[in-house]
């Protein structure tokens, strides 16, 4: 359930998410984790005009063939080979698309029903910062 | 009659915190406005994504118009000091000499500023990182520097008690131990003891300068609000302060508003090692370069690391190639190149008041960056790294300028008394007044300048900063 993205736009995001993170090397795929359930957390602080652009992009992604999306992802990494403003547009796409996909996936958040390996476990990321009782400050 | 404060301070970062404390201590009635939420050690988000989304403007995704730089800035009570790494250094003569030459302002000197540094430092717990603080990433850094004959030095950090077995990367999302010396746990806390009032989630849209009063408009919890101050101090940081003044129409009288925007572009360079490095564990930053040759060439190196989201964005590519890279998270060592920005950009707004930041990396910047990256490659190669990866993403963490301090209202915004030219009731002392990039962590100097500004502001109101605490408002006399 998202208050920001429609069903179709969510489909577009899942499609590109699975191209970026298909699963393997001990990792679940983007869609498997169900991290998409937390997309509103990413959208909430995003300026309204950017959300509008993102929604349109996801709509297009939902119908675009995978080969085209892969081509676009490759171009995004080759931004420096293009003159401005095309290079800038590709960089903006890169930050927008991968920013959302990676934020969701590496947040370690999943759907309530997900039972597979957690992403943080797969990369061995474990952090700790305990509260300092003497300060009265709380930790995790 | 509406409530009128002696001072309304907009913004609660290193600048706003020091100003609030000094003004409250002198007996003034002060209201602090902050667009972000109030958090405490108990409520800081523990998840990297939640922290980005709830503690930063645009969730940490503000970019320059050409998307060449990604700007990170705090939107929370405590401002950037809540999400920063709190490395606190004084500026050196090199930085101040440059500023004096650019502005003709005499107080930009180590000797004049030392009293202000002393004063703010006396309120902070400062810790120079020791060998026992090093994690493996720091050890590798030092090993590389020693092998290559380069000079390094320990970092100095604002921290009181980071405890045993804690991982400081957590406190990039707000310190759960109240150890990191953010303005929230230092100056704001003390200012509250002297009566500071705070309104959070108050997004200021306009500042109207009047002869006797400054009216500040904004919205809070979805409703329009306005507050009044005899004086207003804008402390919204380089982007925030400039945006507020632009939206309020100050550009008509101040053509220099929005110019001179600089940052310290940062390039994180990751090397893969066969051994486990665990660069995210313990104190994830503890050493820096101290090589005069680097300072001369306009860059510095620090040992650094970040959480999985930030690291994932640093590597080009996608699919299995990306996953293979992230699987090696624990084997990554990282050295950051931060350059002393040579090319200033401009801050503007569009019709809807949204920021338009023009900031390109010019040839001189690339020369500095590439010189630094070459050194990092040499260092990592000397340590037998398997692979060295240069980040395609450039991050701007130290945002400066836009409301430069100077003598001439034609090209600067704020005068030597931190007063906006031609607007005697509005003051600014935050990172937006910087005339150029110093190449040194800016927070401590922002605090020292804010301390200096508070003396000027109180003097302008006829109040001595060392006066005994007064209990009656107004401290600021309304002009006849
Ligand atoms: C990840 C990171 C790491 C960093 N590490 C270091 C470091 O180790 N050492 C160092 O010296 N510096 C560091 N910095 C930079 C440092 O944090 C900033 O330079 C510093 O916080 C700027 O202080 P300031 O008072 O000028 O503004 P800020 O700290 O940016 O505070 C401005 C406040 O004003 C508020 N504001 C803005 N606009 C409005 C509005 N319209 N209405 C109401 N409120 C508004 C903002 O929400 C914000 O809270 C780091 C920054 C980041 C992002």
């Amino acid at each position: 359930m998202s208050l920001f993205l429609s069903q179709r736009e969510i489909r577009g995001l899942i499609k590109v998410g699975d191209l970026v993170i298909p699963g393997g090397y001990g990792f679940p795929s983007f869609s498997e984790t169900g991290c998409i359930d937390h997309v509103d957390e990413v959208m909430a602080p995003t300026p309204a005009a950017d959300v509008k652009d993102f929604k349109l992009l996801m709509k297009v992604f939902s119908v675009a063939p995978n080969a085209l999306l892969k081509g676009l992802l490759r171009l995004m990494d080759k931004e420096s080979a293009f003159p401005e403003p095309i290079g800038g547009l590709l960089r903006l796409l890169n930050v927008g698309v991968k920013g959302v996909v990676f934020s969701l996936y590496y947040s370690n958040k999943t759907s309530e029903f997900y039972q597979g390996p957690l992403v943080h476990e797969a990369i061995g990321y474990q952090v700790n910062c305990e509260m300092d009782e003497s300060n009265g400050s709380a930790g995790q | 009659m509406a409530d009128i404060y002696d001072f309304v301070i907009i913004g609660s970062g290193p600048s706003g915190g020091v100003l609030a404390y000094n003004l409250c201590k002198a007996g003034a009635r002060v209201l602090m406005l902050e667009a972000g939420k109030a958090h405490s050690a108990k409520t800081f988000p523990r998840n990297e994504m939640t922290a980005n989304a709830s503690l930063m403007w645009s969730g940490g995704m503000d970019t320059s118009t050409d998307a060449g730089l990604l700007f990170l800035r705090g939107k929370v009570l405590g401002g950037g000091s809540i999400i920063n790494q709190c490395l606190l250094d004084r500026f050196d003569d090199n930085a101040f000499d440059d500023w004096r030459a650019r502005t003709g302002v005499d107080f930009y000197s180590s000797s004049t500023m030392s009293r202000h540094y002393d004063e703010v430092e006396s309120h902070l717990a400062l810790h120079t990182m020791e060998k026992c603080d090093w994690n493996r990433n720091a050890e590798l850094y030092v090993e590389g520097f020693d092998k290559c004959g380069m000079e390094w030095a320990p970092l100095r950090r604002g921290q009181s008690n980071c405890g045993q077995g804690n991982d400081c990367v957590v406190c990039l999302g707000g310190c759960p131990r109240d150890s990191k010396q953010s303005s929230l746990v230092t100056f704001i806390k003390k200012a509250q003891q002297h009566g500071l009032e705070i309104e959070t989630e108050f997004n200021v849209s306009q500042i109207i300068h009047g002869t006797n009063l400054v009216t500040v408009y904004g919205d809070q919890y979805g409703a329009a609000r306005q507050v009044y101050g005899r004086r207003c101090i804008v402390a919204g940081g380089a982007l925030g302060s400039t945006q507020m003044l632009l939206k309020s129409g100050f550009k008509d009288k101040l053509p220099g508003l929005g110019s001179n925007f600089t940052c310290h572009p940062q390039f994180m360079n990751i090397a893969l090692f066969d051994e486990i490095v665990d660069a995210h564990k313990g104190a994830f930053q503890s050493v820096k370069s101290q090589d005069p040759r680097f300072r001369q060439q306009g860059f510095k190196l620090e040992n650094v690391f970040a959480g999985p989201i930030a690291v994932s964005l640093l590597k080009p590519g996608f699919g299995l190639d990306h996953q293979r890279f992230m699987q090696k998270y624990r084997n990554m060592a990282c050295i950051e190149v931060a350059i002393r920005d040579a090319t200033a950009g401009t801050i503007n707004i569009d019709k809807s008041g949204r920021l338009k930041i023009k900031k390109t990396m010019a040839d001189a910047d690339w020369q500095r960056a590439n010189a630094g990256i070459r050194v990092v490659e040499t260092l990592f190669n000397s340590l037998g790294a398997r692979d060295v990866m240069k980040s395609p993403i450039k991050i701007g963490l130290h945002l400066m300028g836009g409301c430069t301090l100077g003598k001439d209202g034609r090209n600067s915004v704020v005068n030597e008394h931190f007063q906006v030219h031609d607007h005697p009731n509005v003051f600014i002392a935050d990172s937006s007044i910087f005339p150029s990039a110093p190449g040194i962590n800016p927070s401590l100097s922002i605090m020292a300048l804010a301390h200096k500004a508070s003396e000027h502001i109180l003097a302008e109101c006829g109040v001595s900063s060392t006066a005994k605490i007064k209990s009656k408002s107004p401290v600021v006399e309304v002009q006849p």
Side-chain angles (χ1 to χ4, degrees):
Chain A
M1 286 274 283
S2 170
L3 298 174
F4 289 88
L5 302 189
S6 69
Q7 194 54 36
R8 200 157 125 206
E9 290 151 8
I10 288 179
R11 259 205 318 275
L13 179 53
I14 289 178
K15 197 161 151 188
V16 73
D18 275 348
L19 288 178
V20 176
I21 303 164
Y25 291 104
F27 289 99
S29 70
F30 177 80
S31 59
E32 267 173 324
T33 63
C35 59
I36 191 104
D37 288 0
H38 304 271
V39 69
D40 281 5
E41 217 179 295
V42 182
M43 291 294 134
T46 307
D50 292 351
V51 173
K52 203 171 147 211
D53 292 347
F54 188 76
K55 281 164 72 68
L56 180 66
L57 194 66
M58 291 307 119
K59 244 184 222 121
V60 174
F61 282 7
S62 71
V63 291
N66 273 3
L68 196 78
L69 292 186
K70 275 190 185 170
L72 186 64
L73 286 169
R74 266 186 218 111
L75 281 182
M76 276 152 48
D77 285 332
K78 301 245 178 307
E79 40 79 25
S80 57
F82 291 89
E84 298 304 319
I86 300 166
L89 192 67
L90 289 170
R91 279 193 292 277
L92 211 56
L93 276 173
N94 200 22
V95 173
V97 174
K98 284 195 192 158
V100 174
V101 168
F102 288 152
S103 290
L104 285 167
Y105 185 77
Y106 289 107
S107 72
N108 208 36
K109 294 192 175 192
T110 65
S111 85
E112 284 180 39
F113 308 106
Y114 177 70
Q115 292 189 328
L118 288 173
V119 175
H120 283 183
E121 278 167 18
I123 58 178
Y125 178 76
Q126 206 185 17
V127 284
N128 165 68
C129 191
E130 292 300 329
M131 70 176 166
D132 178 8
E133 297 288 357
S134 62
N135 261 351
S137 58
Q140 335 209 29
Chain B
M1 178 63 194
D3 217 1
I4 301 170
Y5 289 86
D6 289 321
F7 298 102
V8 173
I9 298 177
I10 310 167
S12 60
S15 165
V18 170
L19 283 154
Y21 171 62
N22 285 336
L23 299 178
C24 287
K25 194 175 58 136
R29 192 157 167 248
V30 182
L31 173 68
M32 174 178 271
L33 303 176
E34 168 55 52
K37 287 190 176 155
H39 276 282
S40 70
K42 285 195 180 93
T43 66
F44 285 127
R46 295 275 72 88
N47 186 284
E48 194 185 357
M49 178 176 82
T50 314
N52 294 346
S54 53
L55 306 178
M56 287 191 212
W57 287 86
S58 310
M61 292 284 170
D62 268 338
T63 62
S64 54
T65 44
D66 70 353
L69 276 156
L70 193 64
F71 302 118
L72 304 183
R73 58 180 179 128
K75 184 187 184 184
V76 54
L77 186 64
S81 71
I82 297 294
I83 57 163
N84 75 9
Q85 181 43 11
C86 215
L87 302 169
L88 298 177
D89 298 313
R90 292 186 180 202
F91 286 177
D92 59 10
D93 284 333
N94 181 309
F96 279 131
D97 290 350
D98 174 52
W99 282 15
R100 216 170 43 254
R102 282 173 192 268
T103 61
V105 172
D106 287 336
F107 67 67
Y108 284 142
S109 77
S110 301
S111 57
T112 309
M113 288 305 296
S114 71
R115 180 172 68 80
H116 303 287
Y117 279 120
D118 289 346
E119 184 55 40
V120 293
E121 283 174 355
S122 73
H123 293 274
L124 300 167
L126 295 165
H127 174 72
T128 301
M129 304 304 266
E130 296 165 35
K131 196 167 179 180
C132 59
D133 296 313
W134 294 357
N135 65 8
R136 184 68 187 131
N137 195 33
E139 281 172 9
L140 285 168
Y141 183 100
V142 171
E143 232 175 276
F145 265 65
D146 288 345
K147 264 192 182 160
C148 299
M150 294 166 187
E151 276 182 52
W152 60 272
L155 282 165
R156 186 172 74 152
R157 184 163 191 257
Q159 62 177 61
S160 60
N161 166 23
C162 285
Q164 290 295 311
N166 288 311
D167 304 316
C168 299
V169 75
V170 173
C171 83
L172 290 178
C175 175
R177 298 175 59 80
D178 278 346
S179 166
K180 184 167 75 173
Q181 300 288 284
S182 69
S183 69
L184 182 64
V185 301
T186 56
F187 290 98
I188 292 177
K189 192 172 164 192
K190 289 184 177 184
Q192 282 181 296
Q193 286 157 6
H194 289 291
L196 174 68
E197 292 174 51
I198 300 173
E199 297 271 5
T200 51
E201 298 180 63
F202 189 123
N203 195 339
V204 171
S205 49
Q206 219 182 359
I207 300 160
I208 303 292
H209 183 274
T211 327
N212 290 323
L213 281 184
V214 179
T215 311
V216 178
Y217 293 92
D219 58 85
Q220 191 183 33
Y221 313 126
R225 289 254 348 240
Q226 64 197 66
V227 297
Y228 305 95
R230 294 182 179 85
R231 301 284 186 275
C232 174
I233 304 162
V234 188
L239 298 185
S241 293
T242 308
Q243 184 180 30
M244 281 184 266
L245 262 56
L246 285 168
K247 281 170 89 172
S248 306
F250 282 52
K251 179 103 180 170
D252 294 345
K253 280 194 178 172
L254 299 163
L257 180 60
S259 56
N260 257 346
F261 171 65
T262 56
C263 63
H264 292 142
Q266 328 241 331
F267 301 74
M268 286 173 78
N269 303 281
I270 287 179
L272 292 179
F273 282 85
D274 288 331
E275 62 166 308
I276 298 280
V277 179
D278 274 346
H280 60 293
K281 303 298 284 179
F284 78 104
Q285 280 201 278
S286 42
V287 277
K288 63 176 176 181
S289 59
Q290 179 87 325
D291 202 304
R293 291 168 295 180
F294 297 177
R295 181 98 176 109
Q296 213 172 11
Q297 289 182 67
F299 69 87
K300 65 173 181 166
L301 308 182
E302 277 174 15
N303 86 304
V304 75
F305 205 55
I309 295 177
V311 168
S312 68
L313 278 164
L314 297 175
K315 165 97 167 75
F318 61 97
L320 290 177
D321 175 49
H322 166 80
Q323 290 179 204
R324 200 179 311 122
F325 168 74
M326 286 304 284
Q327 197 201 24
K328 296 282 175 208
Y329 183 83
R330 296 187 66 194
N331 298 60
M332 294 176 189
C334 182
I335 298 177
E336 170 193 272
V337 177
I339 65 164
R340 190 172 181 180
D341 206 346
T343 322
T346 56
I347 304 170
N348 229 313
I349 50 169
D350 64 15
K351 277 190 200 130
S352 64
R354 194 152 166 232
L355 283 167
K356 291 265 161 232
I357 308 157
K358 279 213 175 112
K359 179 80 189 69
T360 44
M361 290 270 299
D363 191 70
D365 302 300
W366 280 116
Q367 287 188 30
R368 292 171 183 205
N370 288 332
I373 291 166
R374 274 196 300 275
V375 173
V376 173
E377 280 173 330
T378 309
L379 287 166
F380 278 140
N381 289 335
S382 79
L383 294 165
R386 191 167 268 280
D387 197 8
V388 183
M389 191 202 81
K390 290 173 272 180
S391 156
I393 289 200
K394 298 156 294 252
I395 306 162
L397 304 177
H398 307 158
L399 313 180
M400 301 164 284
C403 303
T404 308
L405 183 146
K407 291 183 169 176
D408 189 342
R410 282 170 300 185
N411 51 28
S412 67
V413 172
V414 174
N415 69 23
E416 284 173 271
H417 296 138
F418 301 87
Q419 200 165 30
V420 174
H421 294 294
D422 286 331
H423 301 79
N425 298 332
V426 180
F427 295 81
I428 310 180
D430 62 15
S431 46
S432 70
I433 67 168
F434 284 23
S436 70
I440 297 173
N441 283 308
S443 290
L444 189 70
S445 302
I446 294 168
M447 290 187 244
L449 286 166
H451 180 266
K452 182 164 180 49
S454 67
E455 290 185 349
H456 285 287
I457 294 168
L458 286 168
E460 190 264 344
C461 300
V463 183
S464 155
S465 52
T466 52
K468 268 209 153 134
I469 295 165
K470 292 183 188 174
S471 55
K472 271 206 209 122
S473 191
V475 156
V476 183
E477 294 302 333
V478 175
Q479 324 254 308

